[in-house]
Amino acid sequence: MRLAAEHVEWRVHGHRLLDDVSLTVASGETFGLVGPNGSGKTTLLRVLAGLRRPKVGRVLAAGRPMRAMKPHEIARAIAFVEQQADTLDRLEVRQAVALGRTPFLSPLRPWSARDDAIVTQALTDVDMLPLADRLWHTLSGGERQRVHIARALAQQPSALLLDEPTNHLDIRHQLSILRLVRQLPVTVVIALHDLDQAMDCDRIGIMDGGRLVAIGPPREVLTLDRLRRTFGVHADFLDDAVEGRQVLRFRHAL
């Protein structure tokens, strides 16, 4: 599904968090959002997910203005994994993931064996099936994050939006989650802190002060000058013979 933002602005108490942001993410593309803390990445993701409706500009999903879509229509098409989310309910892991099927249920379309199978597959994909009967409050931070991703997968969305999904994950699960995301036949917009991880995206957008200051293939926009000006670091590109790609090495810009 093609996602687009056109001249989007978002303000809170007069403070502009997004400033005339326009971008188009092609169907099936993996698009990375990078930038310093407070640059607007999370706000932009929430706007693209339909959780915030900008007063200036608009968002389109598959060419359709999101303002014209009902909440359940958006939920069927777009899944959003927040950086942190919690609940006080005594939910089991399988119940939490099953919430991803809610947009598809109705009195005329009750829970079915197919929904069970979708939830089981989502738990398997994030390596949480062995913990399916555990209570939410007994999970570690990394385990909870994997449950959030499984819930999003259970929605079977056309577009998957993730806000720093590797936070709290150990390195093994970081790699497995990112590999899974890259393999999904959906449009992906993913906010990342790790610029090496961003190098694997089809394209990236660099946010700075609420503006989208650069957009394009990672190697073209993550220039040494851009890294210094936006992130305040010096960097070198090194060839990784094992991975067969370039990686970044950083040092402080004095």
Side-chain angles (χ1 to χ4, degrees), residues 11 13 21 26 70 84 133 151 156 213 216 245:
R11 296 172 182 261
H13 305 304
V21 173
K70 296 179 180 179
Q84 287 186 332
D133 297 326
R151 185 267 307 156
Q156 295 191 312
V213 297
R245 65 186 184 96

Side-chain angles (χ1 to χ4, degrees), residues 45-245:
L45 282 175
R46 293 182 69 84
V47 168
L48 291 173
L51 300 177
R52 292 179 174 173
R53 294 192 173 184
K55 293 183 179 179
V56 177
R58 65 175 185 166
V59 175
L60 298 96
R64 186 179 176 190
M66 205 170 280
R67 290 181 184 275
M69 298 173 68
K70 296 179 180 179
H72 76 272
E73 292 179 296
I74 297 174
R76 288 179 179 181
I78 300 173
F80 178 44
V81 179
E82 298 188 72
Q83 193 173 142
Q84 287 186 332
D86 217 335
T87 178
L88 297 177
D89 295 332
R90 287 182 61 83
L91 291 178
E92 293 180 355
V93 167
R94 181 176 289 274
Q95 292 173 318
V97 176
L99 292 174
R101 301 303 300 157
T102 301
F104 302 92
L105 303 178
S106 72
L108 298 178
R109 201 291 198 188
W111 189 270
S112 68
R114 180 173 180 270
D115 296 301
D116 275 326
I118 290 170
V119 169
T120 296
Q121 185 60 56
L123 286 164
T124 301
D125 287 342
V126 300
D127 195 26
M128 286 296 290
L129 189 60
L131 302 183
D133 297 326
R134 282 268 299 271
L135 288 172
W136 169 264
H137 71 271
T138 68
L139 300 177
S140 69
E143 289 166 343
R144 292 183 184 189
Q145 185 73 341
R146 284 187 279 150
V147 173
H148 289 315
I149 295 171
R151 185 267 307 156
L153 296 177
Q155 285 180 242
Q156 295 191 312
S158 298
L160 178 61
L161 278 54
L162 305 105
D163 190 4
E164 298 180 21
T166 56
N167 274 9
H168 311 298
L169 298 184
D170 59 57
I171 186 62
R172 180 173 73 88
H173 285 109
Q174 285 186 33
L175 295 174
S176 64
I177 290 297
L178 291 172
R179 185 184 308 112
L180 170 64
V181 167
R182 287 195 297 270
Q183 292 172 346
L184 293 173
V186 300
T187 303
V188 174
V189 184
I190 180 170
L192 293 165
H193 260 314
D194 190 322
L195 297 182
D196 270 328
Q197 293 175 354
M199 293 291 289
D200 289 329
C201 295
D202 297 318
R203 289 188 304 148
I204 63 171
I206 300 179
M207 299 291 297
D208 192 5
R211 297 184 66 88
L212 190 60
V213 297
I215 186 169
R219 189 61 182 88
E220 292 182 13
V221 297
L222 285 176
T223 63
L224 302 184
D225 180 62
R226 173 58 64 187
L227 290 168
R228 179 182 56 78
R229 287 191 289 135
T230 298
F231 296 92
V233 295
H234 289 302
D236 299 299
F237 284 95
L238 304 177
D239 291 322
D240 187 326
V242 175
E243 293 285 336
R245 65 186 184 96

